[in-house]
Amino acid sequence: MGRRSERLSKNGILASDLAGDGDVIQVVSRAFDILRCFEGHDARLGNLEISNRCGLPRSTVSRLTHTLTRMGRLAYLPADQKYRIGPSAVAMSTSMTRGLQLRNLIRLRLQEVADQIPGTIGFLVPDRFHMVYLEYARADHALGLHSTTGSRIAMGRTAAGHAYTAALDDNVGDALINDIAREVPEDGRVLRSRIEANRQSLRENGYVTATGLFTPHINGIATPMWSPQYQTYVVVTIGLLSSMYDEKRMQDEVAPLLLALSGTIGQMVTNADNGLYNAATDAPPPSINKKTIKAEATNELEAGTRLPLPARSVRAGDGRR
């Protein structure tokens, strides 16, 4: 007899993979088996290595890694032709990585800025139509601002989300906005109406502002940076009371702080991703000197701050063979 033909679902999963054993759905079980292969946050594995570790056929692994990459649970590294844990998986499991030294250092840098201005400072990653706080810091007198680690905020209603979508390749950003519009029409409308202005602001200034979108009482400013680890953009954002900081004051007084902070964190993230920074033995990057940060002048940190890298697609091929 010839080989029985297999029917693919819309996600490329074989119909036989969806079959369950009792109350266990095999495709879900196998997906978690694959994720468990990535024991360390720096683990990089190809389909063959995953197949050997899981004891699954390589064809099954290829279909599942493709799906997990499209969902953001894995990130594909084109140069290595391997995968690592993706931003959505990290966003869902922030408690698993709270002890990482790098995040502790990032939190310290955020707090240094929070001590200078009455706002909430956040370091966020994307998760589908939301941004998720991996770390945050808050001024003691930041009334009305209550974000915490793990908080999810809508892309369409926040400076962080607007900065993230503006950083993407135009076609990728437009496709994401269309997806958001189908799920949350009003958020999609807001993003679509502002995307060109956001892209221009990012090119010219290195940041994006959003006034009164999340709530009429909150204004925000944010800048993205490319993360080799997650193969997408992460975002640093500052939220402030609109009664204290209008858009002009944010641009004059807060933007220099944000760009200096993103330059420091961007260097930390890049070095850690490239294995150049050992949190256990290396000294942390120099802290932000409060005395040298001035709204009316460019300081040394600002001079070394890079504008966001050219936009890259987060829908890159996943390298299946």
Side-chain angles (χ1 to χ4, degrees), residues 28-29 33 53 87 109 126 148 154 158 177 187 197 268 297:
V28 177
S29 176
D33 286 341
R53 290 192 182 193
R109 300 299 174 262
T148 62
T158 56
I177 292 172
D187 285 9
M268 294 166 65

Coordinates of all heavy atoms in Angstrom, one line a residue, residues 28-29 33 53 87 109 126 148 154 158 177 187 197 268 297:
V28 N 0.5 19.9 21.4 CA 0.8 20.8 22.5 C 2.0 20.2 23.3 O 2.9 20.9 23.7 CB -0.4 21.1 23.4 CG1 -0.1 21.9 24.6 CG2 -1.5 21.7 22.6
S29 N 1.9 18.9 23.6 CA 2.9 18.3 24.4 C 4.3 18.4 23.7 O 5.3 18.6 24.3 CB 2.5 16.8 24.6 OG 3.6 16.1 25.3
D33 N 7.8 20.1 24.7 CA 9.0 19.4 24.7 C 10.2 20.1 24.0 O 11.3 20.1 24.4 CB 8.8 18.0 24.0 CG 8.0 17.0 24.8 OD1 8.0 17.2 26.0 OD2 7.5 16.1 24.2
R53 N 17.4 15.8 20.8 CA 17.1 16.0 22.3 C 15.7 15.5 22.6 O 15.4 14.9 23.7 CB 17.2 17.4 22.7 CG 18.7 17.9 22.7 CD 18.8 19.3 23.4 NE 20.2 19.8 23.4 CZ 20.6 20.8 24.1 NH1 19.8 21.4 24.9 NH2 21.9 21.2 24.0
P87 N 10.8 36.5 22.3 CA 10.3 37.5 23.2 C 9.0 37.2 23.9 O 8.7 37.5 25.0 CB 10.2 38.8 22.4 CG 10.1 38.3 21.0 CD 10.9 37.0 20.9
R109 N 19.6 51.1 36.3 CA 19.7 52.3 35.4 C 18.4 52.9 35.2 O 18.3 54.2 35.2 CB 20.2 51.8 34.0 CG 21.6 51.2 34.0 CD 22.7 52.1 34.5 NE 23.9 51.5 34.7 CZ 24.4 51.0 35.8 NH1 23.7 51.1 36.9 NH2 25.5 50.4 35.9
P126 N 7.9 43.0 23.0 CA 6.6 42.8 22.3 C 6.0 41.4 22.6 O 6.8 40.5 22.7 CB 6.9 43.1 20.9 CG 8.3 42.6 20.7 CD 9.0 43.0 22.0
T148 N 4.0 47.6 36.6 CA 4.9 46.7 37.4 C 5.5 45.7 36.4 O 5.0 45.6 35.2 CB 4.1 46.0 38.5 OG1 3.1 45.1 37.9 CG2 3.5 46.9 39.5
A154 N -1.3 47.9 25.7 CA -1.7 47.8 24.3 C -0.7 48.6 23.4 O -0.4 49.8 23.7 CB -3.1 48.3 24.1
T158 N -0.1 53.2 23.5 CA 1.1 53.6 24.4 C 2.3 54.1 23.5 O 2.4 53.6 22.3 CB 1.6 52.4 25.2 OG1 1.8 51.3 24.3 CG2 0.5 52.0 26.2
I177 N -0.2 46.3 12.0 CA -1.3 47.3 12.3 C -2.6 46.7 11.7 O -3.7 46.8 12.4 CB -1.0 48.7 11.7 CG1 0.2 49.3 12.5 CG2 -2.2 49.6 11.8 CD1 0.7 50.6 11.9
D187 N -7.8 50.6 18.2 CA -6.3 50.7 18.4 C -5.6 50.7 17.0 O -4.6 51.4 16.8 CB -5.8 49.5 19.2 CG -6.1 49.7 20.7 OD1 -6.8 50.6 21.0 OD2 -5.6 48.8 21.5
A197 N 3.9 59.7 10.9 CA 4.5 60.7 11.8 C 5.5 60.0 12.8 O 6.5 60.6 13.1 CB 3.4 61.5 12.5
M268 N 24.5 47.5 27.0 CA 24.4 46.3 27.9 C 23.7 45.1 27.2 O 24.2 44.0 27.3 CB 23.6 46.7 29.2 CG 24.3 47.7 30.0 SD 23.2 48.5 31.3 CE 22.9 47.0 32.3
A297 N 21.8 70.9 26.7 CA 23.1 70.7 26.1 C 23.2 69.2 25.9 O 22.6 68.3 26.4 CB 24.2 71.1 27.1

